[in-house]
Amino acid sequence: SYIDKITSKYNINLGGRKPIAPIISGETLVKNSEQAIAQQILAYQQIVGSINFAAVTTRADISFAASKLSEFLTNPSERHQAAAVRVMQYLAHTKFYSIVYDAMATDPHTTFIASSDASFADDPATRFSSQGYGFKLFNGLIDWKASKQKTVTMSSTEAELLAATAAAREFIWWKRFFEEIILDLGCQPYIKVNNL
């Protein structure tokens, strides 16, 4: 109902081709070379705010797109606006996607899994890398985040290590949380790190 509400509020055209991903693979969004007017900025901020709410609450699949779109909140271009509309169209066409938990998941290697990944220097203007992590419990996501790294890394290995560090901090929080609520998962949790 939330997705129906926001697509209606922003008059998102749901006809034509249905996006199969929230953003186009390999698409690079760059800073606007001109200054957007106040109405354009406000409209963009509202639509990205609505996208971000969905990304934070239940839609991990749009977290990276929401993170990228948020970089241009103070001066969006028409290309940024089009990218935001694409994410909204993707949400509308996948509104019945859900996170599913499997109570019968008894494999000790899949009860609680953490994963991290990074994309080295994927911002051509600043050379900052993107990173993300996800946590699954009983085969369903319980925690996720996508963001830009705060430092410029010199290699993909360094970018991956920074992403793994962010995941490890969150991992420690979850481990302490499970101990506090006396939840014994019957397994030794671990973090999957890409390319290390």
Side-chain angles (χ1 to χ4, degrees), residues 75-146:
N75 190 27
S77 67
E78 288 185 18
R79 188 171 175 192
H80 302 134
Q81 184 72 27
V85 167
R86 177 187 169 88
V87 174
M88 294 288 280
Q89 290 170 331
Y90 171 79
L91 277 175
H93 292 298
T94 59
K95 65 184 174 183
F96 296 111
Y97 282 12
S98 63
I99 299 172
V100 178
Y101 300 94
D102 182 5
M104 302 307 289
T106 56
D107 182 353
H109 298 293
T110 60
T111 304
F112 181 65
I113 300 174
S115 302
S116 71
D117 195 9
S119 181
F120 174 62
D122 62 337
D123 186 333
T126 64
R127 303 298 291 165
F128 280 104
S129 303
S130 296
Q131 68 181 19
Y133 61 72
F135 290 80
K136 288 173 73 176
L137 181 64
F138 299 114
N139 292 330
L141 278 171
I142 58 169
D143 189 5
W144 58 86
K145 184 176 182 179

Coordinates of all heavy atoms in Angstrom, one line a residue, residues 75-146:
N75 N 21.4 19.4 -5.4 CA 21.4 20.0 -6.8 C 21.2 18.9 -7.8 O 22.1 18.5 -8.5 CB 22.7 20.7 -7.0 CG 22.7 21.5 -8.3 OD1 21.6 21.9 -8.8 ND2 23.8 21.7 -8.9
P76 N 20.0 18.4 -7.9 CA 19.7 17.3 -8.9 C 19.5 17.8 -10.3 O 19.1 18.9 -10.5 CB 18.4 16.7 -8.4 CG 17.7 17.9 -7.7 CD 18.8 18.7 -7.1
S77 N 19.9 16.9 -11.2 CA 19.6 17.3 -12.6 C 18.4 16.4 -13.1 O 17.9 15.6 -12.4 CB 20.9 16.9 -13.5 OG 21.1 15.5 -13.5
E78 N 18.1 16.6 -14.4 CA 17.0 15.9 -15.0 C 17.4 14.4 -15.0 O 16.5 13.5 -14.9 CB 16.7 16.4 -16.4 CG 16.0 17.7 -16.4 CD 15.5 18.2 -17.8 OE1 15.5 17.4 -18.7 OE2 15.3 19.4 -17.9
R79 N 18.6 14.1 -15.2 CA 19.1 12.7 -15.3 C 18.9 12.0 -13.9 O 18.5 10.9 -13.8 CB 20.5 12.6 -15.7 CG 21.0 11.3 -15.9 CD 22.4 11.3 -16.5 NE 22.9 9.9 -16.6 CZ 24.2 9.6 -16.9 NH1 25.0 10.6 -17.1 NH2 24.5 8.4 -17.0
H80 N 19.2 12.8 -12.8 CA 18.9 12.3 -11.5 C 17.4 12.0 -11.2 O 17.1 11.0 -10.7 CB 19.5 13.2 -10.4 CG 20.9 13.5 -10.6 ND1 21.5 14.8 -10.5 CD2 22.0 12.7 -10.8 CE1 22.8 14.7 -10.7 NE2 23.1 13.4 -10.9
Q81 N 16.6 13.0 -11.7 CA 15.2 12.8 -11.5 C 14.7 11.6 -12.3 O 13.9 10.8 -11.8 CB 14.5 14.1 -12.1 CG 13.0 14.1 -11.9 CD 12.5 14.3 -10.4 OE1 13.3 14.9 -9.7 NE2 11.4 13.8 -10.1
A82 N 15.2 11.4 -13.5 CA 14.8 10.2 -14.3 C 15.2 8.9 -13.6 O 14.5 7.9 -13.6 CB 15.4 10.3 -15.7
A83 N 16.4 8.9 -13.0 CA 16.9 7.7 -12.2 C 16.0 7.4 -11.0 O 15.6 6.3 -10.7 CB 18.3 7.9 -11.8
A84 N 15.5 8.5 -10.4 CA 14.6 8.3 -9.2 C 13.3 7.8 -9.7 O 12.7 6.9 -9.0 CB 14.4 9.7 -8.5
V85 N 12.8 8.3 -10.8 CA 11.5 7.8 -11.4 C 11.6 6.3 -11.7 O 10.7 5.5 -11.5 CB 11.1 8.6 -12.6 CG1 9.9 7.9 -13.3 CG2 10.6 10.0 -12.1
R86 N 12.8 5.9 -12.3 CA 13.0 4.5 -12.6 C 12.9 3.6 -11.4 O 12.4 2.5 -11.4 CB 14.4 4.3 -13.3 CG 14.7 2.9 -13.6 CD 16.1 2.7 -14.1 NE 16.5 1.3 -14.2 CZ 16.3 0.5 -15.2 NH1 15.7 1.0 -16.3 NH2 16.7 -0.7 -15.2
V87 N 13.5 4.1 -10.2 CA 13.5 3.3 -9.0 C 12.0 3.2 -8.6 O 11.6 2.1 -8.1 CB 14.3 4.0 -7.9 CG1 14.2 3.2 -6.6 CG2 15.8 3.9 -8.3
M88 N 11.3 4.3 -8.7 CA 9.8 4.2 -8.3 C 9.1 3.2 -9.2 O 8.2 2.5 -8.7 CB 9.2 5.6 -8.4 CG 9.8 6.6 -7.4 SD 9.2 6.2 -5.7 CE 7.6 6.9 -5.8
Q89 N 9.4 3.2 -10.5 CA 8.7 2.3 -11.4 C 9.1 0.8 -11.0 O 8.3 0.0 -11.1 CB 9.1 2.6 -12.9 CG 8.5 3.9 -13.4 CD 9.1 4.3 -14.7 OE1 10.3 4.0 -15.0 NE2 8.3 5.0 -15.5
Y90 N 10.4 0.6 -10.7 CA 10.8 -0.7 -10.3 C 10.1 -1.1 -9.0 O 9.6 -2.3 -9.0 CB 12.3 -0.7 -10.0 CG 12.9 -1.9 -9.4 CD1 13.1 -3.1 -10.2 CD2 13.1 -2.0 -8.0 CE1 13.5 -4.3 -9.6 CE2 13.6 -3.2 -7.4 CZ 13.8 -4.3 -8.2 OH 14.2 -5.5 -7.6
L91 N 9.9 -0.2 -8.1 CA 9.2 -0.6 -6.9 C 7.8 -0.9 -7.2 O 7.2 -1.9 -6.6 CB 9.2 0.6 -5.9 CG 10.4 0.8 -5.0 CD1 10.3 2.1 -4.2 CD2 10.6 -0.4 -4.1
A92 N 7.1 -0.2 -8.0 CA 5.7 -0.4 -8.4 C 5.5 -1.8 -9.0 O 4.6 -2.5 -8.7 CB 5.2 0.7 -9.3
H93 N 6.5 -2.2 -9.9 CA 6.4 -3.4 -10.6 C 6.8 -4.6 -9.8 O 6.6 -5.8 -10.2 CB 7.1 -3.4 -11.9 CG 6.5 -2.4 -12.9 ND1 5.2 -2.6 -13.4 CD2 7.0 -1.3 -13.5 CE1 4.9 -1.6 -14.2 NE2 6.0 -0.8 -14.3
T94 N 7.5 -4.4 -8.6 CA 7.9 -5.5 -7.8 C 7.4 -5.3 -6.4 O 7.9 -5.8 -5.4 CB 9.5 -5.5 -7.7 OG1 9.9 -4.2 -7.2 CG2 10.1 -5.7 -9.1
K95 N 6.2 -4.6 -6.3 CA 5.7 -4.3 -4.9 C 5.3 -5.6 -4.1 O 5.1 -5.5 -2.9 CB 4.5 -3.4 -5.1 CG 3.3 -3.9 -5.8 CD 2.2 -2.9 -5.9 CE 1.0 -3.4 -6.7 NZ 0.1 -2.3 -6.9
F96 N 5.2 -6.7 -4.8 CA 4.8 -7.9 -4.0 C 6.0 -8.7 -3.6 O 5.9 -9.8 -3.0 CB 3.8 -8.8 -4.8 CG 2.5 -8.1 -5.1 CD1 2.2 -7.7 -6.3 CD2 1.7 -7.8 -4.0 CE1 0.9 -7.0 -6.5 CE2 0.4 -7.2 -4.2 CZ 0.1 -6.8 -5.5
Y97 N 7.2 -8.2 -3.9 CA 8.4 -8.8 -3.3 C 8.4 -8.8 -1.8 O 8.0 -7.7 -1.3 CB 9.7 -8.2 -3.8 CG 10.1 -8.5 -5.3 CD1 9.2 -9.1 -6.1 CD2 11.3 -8.1 -5.7 CE1 9.6 -9.4 -7.4 CE2 11.7 -8.4 -7.0 CZ 10.9 -9.1 -7.9 OH 11.2 -9.4 -9.1
S98 N 8.9 -9.8 -1.2 CA 8.9 -9.8 0.3 C 10.1 -10.5 0.8 O 10.7 -11.3 0.1 CB 7.6 -10.4 0.9 OG 7.5 -11.7 0.5
I99 N 10.4 -10.3 2.1 CA 11.4 -11.0 2.8 C 10.8 -12.2 3.4 O 9.8 -12.1 4.1 CB 12.1 -10.1 3.8 CG1 12.7 -8.9 3.2 CG2 13.1 -10.9 4.6 CD1 13.3 -7.9 4.2
V100 N 11.3 -13.4 3.1 CA 10.8 -14.7 3.6 C 11.7 -15.3 4.6 O 12.9 -15.4 4.3 CB 10.5 -15.6 2.4 CG1 9.9 -16.9 2.9 CG2 9.5 -15.0 1.4
Y101 N 11.2 -15.7 5.7 CA 12.0 -16.4 6.7 C 11.6 -17.9 6.7 O 10.4 -18.2 6.6 CB 11.8 -15.8 8.1 CG 12.2 -14.3 8.1 CD1 11.3 -13.3 7.9 CD2 13.6 -14.0 8.3 CE1 11.6 -12.0 7.9 CE2 13.9 -12.6 8.2 CZ 13.0 -11.7 8.1 OH 13.3 -10.3 8.0
D102 N 12.6 -18.8 6.9 CA 12.3 -20.2 6.8 C 12.6 -20.8 8.2 O 13.7 -21.0 8.6 CB 13.2 -20.8 5.8 CG 13.0 -22.3 5.6 OD1 12.1 -22.9 6.2 OD2 13.8 -22.9 4.8
A103 N 11.5 -21.1 8.9 CA 11.7 -21.7 10.2 C 12.3 -23.1 10.2 O 12.8 -23.6 11.2 CB 10.3 -21.8 10.9
M104 N 12.2 -23.7 9.0 CA 12.8 -25.1 8.9 C 14.3 -25.1 8.5 O 14.9 -26.1 8.3 CB 12.0 -25.8 7.8 CG 10.5 -25.9 8.2 SD 10.2 -26.6 9.8 CE 10.6 -28.3 9.6
A105 N 14.8 -23.9 8.4 CA 16.3 -23.8 8.0 C 17.1 -24.2 9.2 O 17.3 -23.5 10.2 CB 16.6 -22.3 7.6
T106 N 17.6 -25.4 9.1 CA 18.3 -26.0 10.2 C 19.8 -26.2 9.9 O 20.6 -26.6 10.8 CB 17.7 -27.4 10.6 OG1 17.7 -28.2 9.5 CG2 16.3 -27.2 11.2
D107 N 20.2 -25.9 8.7 CA 21.6 -26.0 8.4 C 22.4 -25.0 9.2 O 22.2 -23.8 9.1 CB 21.8 -25.7 6.9 CG 23.3 -25.9 6.4 OD1 24.2 -26.1 7.3 OD2 23.5 -25.8 5.2
P108 N 23.4 -25.4 10.0 CA 24.1 -24.5 10.9 C 24.9 -23.5 10.1 O 25.3 -22.4 10.6 CB 25.0 -25.4 11.7 CG 25.1 -26.7 11.0 CD 23.8 -26.8 10.2
H109 N 25.2 -23.7 8.8 CA 26.0 -22.8 8.0 C 25.1 -21.7 7.4 O 25.6 -20.8 6.8 CB 26.7 -23.5 6.9 CG 27.7 -24.5 7.4 ND1 28.8 -24.1 8.1 CD2 27.8 -25.9 7.4 CE1 29.5 -25.2 8.5 NE2 28.9 -26.3 8.1
T110 N 23.8 -21.8 7.5 CA 22.9 -20.8 6.9 C 21.9 -20.2 7.9 O 21.1 -19.4 7.5 CB 22.1 -21.4 5.7 OG1 21.3 -22.5 6.2 CG2 23.0 -21.9 4.6
T111 N 22.1 -20.6 9.1 CA 21.2 -20.0 10.1 C 21.4 -18.5 10.3 O 20.4 -17.7 10.2 CB 21.4 -20.7 11.5 OG1 21.2 -22.1 11.3 CG2 20.4 -20.2 12.5
F112 N 22.6 -18.1 10.4 CA 22.9 -16.6 10.5 C 24.1 -16.4 9.7 O 25.2 -16.9 9.9 CB 23.2 -16.2 12.0 CG 23.5 -14.8 12.2 CD1 22.5 -13.8 11.9 CD2 24.7 -14.4 12.6 CE1 22.8 -12.5 12.0 CE2 25.0 -13.0 12.8 CZ 24.1 -12.1 12.5
I113 N 24.0 -15.5 8.6 CA 25.1 -15.3 7.7 C 25.2 -13.8 7.5 O 24.2 -13.1 7.4 CB 24.8 -15.9 6.3 CG1 24.7 -17.4 6.4 CG2 25.9 -15.5 5.3 CD1 24.3 -18.1 5.1
A114 N 26.4 -13.3 7.5 CA 26.7 -11.9 7.2 C 27.5 -11.9 5.9 O 28.4 -12.7 5.7 CB 27.5 -11.2 8.4
S115 N 27.3 -10.9 5.1 CA 28.1 -10.7 3.8 C 28.4 -9.3 3.6 O 27.6 -8.4 4.0 CB 27.2 -11.2 2.6 OG 26.8 -12.5 2.8
S116 N 29.6 -9.0 3.0 CA 30.0 -7.6 2.7 C 30.5 -7.6 1.3 O 31.0 -8.6 0.8 CB 31.0 -7.1 3.7 OG 32.2 -7.7 3.5
D117 N 30.5 -6.4 0.7 CA 31.0 -6.3 -0.7 C 31.3 -4.8 -0.9 O 30.8 -3.9 -0.2 CB 30.0 -6.7 -1.7 CG 30.6 -6.9 -3.1 OD1 31.9 -6.8 -3.2 OD2 29.9 -7.1 -4.1
A118 N 32.2 -4.5 -1.8 CA 32.6 -3.2 -2.1 C 32.8 -3.0 -3.6 O 33.1 -4.0 -4.3 CB 33.9 -2.7 -1.4
S119 N 32.6 -1.8 -4.1 CA 32.9 -1.5 -5.5 C 33.9 -0.5 -5.6 O 33.7 0.7 -5.3 CB 31.6 -1.1 -6.2 OG 31.8 -0.8 -7.6
F120 N 35.1 -0.9 -6.0 CA 36.3 0.0 -5.9 C 36.2 1.2 -6.8 O 36.0 1.1 -8.0 CB 37.6 -0.8 -6.2 CG 38.8 0.1 -6.3 CD1 39.3 0.8 -5.3 CD2 39.5 0.1 -7.5 CE1 40.4 1.5 -5.3 CE2 40.7 0.9 -7.6 CZ 41.1 1.6 -6.5
A121 N 36.3 2.4 -6.3 CA 36.4 3.7 -7.0 C 35.3 3.8 -8.1 O 35.6 4.2 -9.2 CB 37.8 3.8 -7.6
D122 N 34.1 3.5 -7.7 CA 33.0 3.5 -8.7 C 32.4 4.9 -8.9 O 31.6 5.2 -9.7 CB 31.9 2.5 -8.3 CG 31.2 2.9 -7.0 OD1 31.8 3.5 -6.1 OD2 30.1 2.4 -6.8
D123 N 32.9 5.9 -8.1 CA 32.6 7.3 -8.4 C 33.7 8.0 -9.1 O 34.8 8.3 -8.5 CB 32.3 8.0 -7.0 CG 31.8 9.5 -7.2 OD1 32.1 10.1 -8.3 OD2 31.1 10.0 -6.4
P124 N 33.6 8.2 -10.4 CA 34.7 8.7 -11.2 C 35.2 10.1 -10.8 O 36.4 10.4 -11.0 CB 34.2 8.6 -12.7 CG 32.7 8.6 -12.6 CD 32.4 7.9 -11.2
A125 N 34.3 10.9 -10.3 CA 34.7 12.3 -9.9 C 35.5 12.3 -8.7 O 36.5 13.1 -8.6 CB 33.4 13.1 -9.8
T126 N 35.1 11.5 -7.7 CA 35.8 11.6 -6.4 C 36.7 10.4 -6.1 O 37.6 10.5 -5.2 CB 34.8 11.7 -5.2 OG1 34.0 10.5 -5.2 CG2 33.9 12.9 -5.4
R127 N 36.6 9.3 -6.8 CA 37.3 8.1 -6.7 C 36.9 7.4 -5.4 O 37.6 6.5 -4.9 CB 38.8 8.3 -6.7 CG 39.3 8.9 -8.0 CD 39.0 8.1 -9.2 NE 39.8 6.9 -9.2 CZ 39.6 5.9 -10.0 NH1 38.6 5.9 -10.9 NH2 40.3 4.8 -10.0
F128 N 35.8 7.8 -4.7 CA 35.3 7.0 -3.6 C 34.7 5.7 -4.0 O 34.2 5.6 -5.1 CB 34.3 7.8 -2.8 CG 34.8 8.9 -1.9 CD1 34.8 10.2 -2.3 CD2 35.4 8.6 -0.7 CE1 35.3 11.2 -1.5 CE2 35.9 9.6 0.1 CZ 35.9 10.9 -0.3
S129 N 34.8 4.7 -3.1 CA 34.2 3.4 -3.4 C 32.8 3.3 -2.7 O 32.6 4.0 -1.7 CB 35.1 2.3 -2.9 OG 36.4 2.4 -3.5
S130 N 32.0 2.4 -3.2 CA 30.7 2.1 -2.5 C 30.9 0.8 -1.8 O 31.7 -0.1 -2.1 CB 29.6 1.9 -3.6 OG 29.4 3.1 -4.3
Q131 N 30.1 0.6 -0.7 CA 30.2 -0.6 0.1 C 28.8 -1.0 0.5 O 27.9 -0.1 0.5 CB 31.1 -0.5 1.3 CG 30.6 0.5 2.3 CD 31.5 0.6 3.5 OE1 32.7 0.3 3.4 NE2 31.1 1.1 4.6
G132 N 28.6 -2.2 1.0 CA 27.4 -2.7 1.5 C 27.5 -3.9 2.3 O 28.5 -4.6 2.2
Y133 N 26.5 -4.2 3.1 CA 26.5 -5.5 3.8 C 25.1 -5.9 4.0 O 24.2 -5.1 3.9 CB 27.2 -5.4 5.2 CG 26.7 -4.4 6.2 CD1 25.5 -4.6 6.8 CD2 27.4 -3.2 6.5 CE1 25.0 -3.8 7.8 CE2 26.9 -2.4 7.4 CZ 25.7 -2.6 8.1 OH 25.2 -1.7 9.0
G134 N 24.9 -7.2 4.3 CA 23.6 -7.8 4.5 C 23.7 -8.9 5.6 O 24.8 -9.6 5.6
F135 N 22.7 -9.1 6.4 CA 22.7 -10.1 7.4 C 21.4 -10.9 7.2 O 20.3 -10.3 7.1 CB 22.7 -9.5 8.8 CG 24.0 -8.9 9.2 CD1 24.3 -7.6 8.7 CD2 24.9 -9.6 10.0 CE1 25.6 -7.1 9.1 CE2 26.1 -9.0 10.3 CZ 26.4 -7.8 9.9
K136 N 21.5 -12.2 7.1 CA 20.4 -13.1 7.0 C 20.3 -14.0 8.2 O 21.2 -14.5 8.7 CB 20.6 -14.0 5.7 CG 20.4 -13.3 4.4 CD 20.8 -14.1 3.2 CE 19.7 -15.2 3.0 NZ 20.0 -16.0 1.8
L137 N 19.0 -14.1 8.7 CA 18.7 -15.0 9.8 C 17.6 -15.9 9.3 O 16.5 -15.4 8.8 CB 18.3 -14.3 11.0 CG 17.9 -15.1 12.2 CD1 19.1 -15.8 12.8 CD2 17.3 -14.1 13.3
F138 N 17.8 -17.3 9.3 CA 16.8 -18.2 8.8 C 16.4 -17.9 7.4 O 15.3 -17.9 7.0 CB 15.6 -18.3 9.7 CG 15.9 -18.7 11.1 CD1 15.7 -17.9 12.2 CD2 16.4 -20.0 11.4 CE1 16.1 -18.3 13.5 CE2 16.7 -20.4 12.7 CZ 16.6 -19.5 13.7
N139 N 17.4 -17.6 6.6 CA 17.3 -17.4 5.1 C 16.6 -16.1 4.8 O 16.2 -15.8 3.6 CB 16.7 -18.5 4.4 CG 17.6 -19.8 4.4 OD1 18.8 -19.6 4.4 ND2 17.0 -20.9 4.4
G140 N 16.3 -15.2 5.7 CA 15.6 -13.9 5.4 C 16.5 -12.8 5.9 O 17.1 -12.8 7.0
L141 N 16.5 -11.7 5.1 CA 17.3 -10.5 5.5 C 16.8 -9.9 6.8 O 15.6 -9.7 6.9 CB 17.3 -9.5 4.4 CG 18.3 -9.7 3.3 CD1 18.1 -8.8 2.1 CD2 19.7 -9.6 3.8
I142 N 17.7 -9.5 7.7 CA 17.3 -8.8 8.9 C 18.0 -7.5 9.0 O 17.5 -6.6 9.8 CB 17.5 -9.6 10.2 CG1 19.0 -10.0 10.3 CG2 16.6 -10.9 10.2 CD1 19.4 -10.6 11.7
D143 N 19.0 -7.3 8.3 CA 19.8 -6.0 8.4 C 20.6 -5.8 7.1 O 21.2 -6.8 6.6 CB 20.8 -6.1 9.6 CG 21.4 -4.8 10.0 OD1 21.1 -3.8 9.4 OD2 22.3 -4.8 10.8
W144 N 20.6 -4.6 6.6 CA 21.4 -4.3 5.4 C 21.7 -2.8 5.3 O 21.1 -2.0 6.0 CB 20.6 -4.7 4.1 CG 19.2 -4.0 4.0 CD1 19.0 -2.8 3.5 CD2 18.0 -4.5 4.5 NE1 17.7 -2.5 3.6 CE2 17.0 -3.5 4.2 CE3 17.6 -5.7 5.2 CZ2 15.7 -3.7 4.5 CZ3 16.3 -5.8 5.5 CH2 15.3 -4.8 5.2
K145 N 22.7 -2.5 4.6 CA 23.1 -1.1 4.4 C 24.0 -1.0 3.1 O 24.8 -1.8 2.8 CB 23.9 -0.6 5.6 CG 24.3 0.9 5.5 CD 25.0 1.4 6.7 CE 25.3 2.8 6.6 NZ 25.9 3.3 7.8
A146 N 23.8 0.1 2.4 CA 24.6 0.4 1.2 C 25.0 1.9 1.4 O 24.2 2.8 1.7 CB 23.9 0.3 -0.1

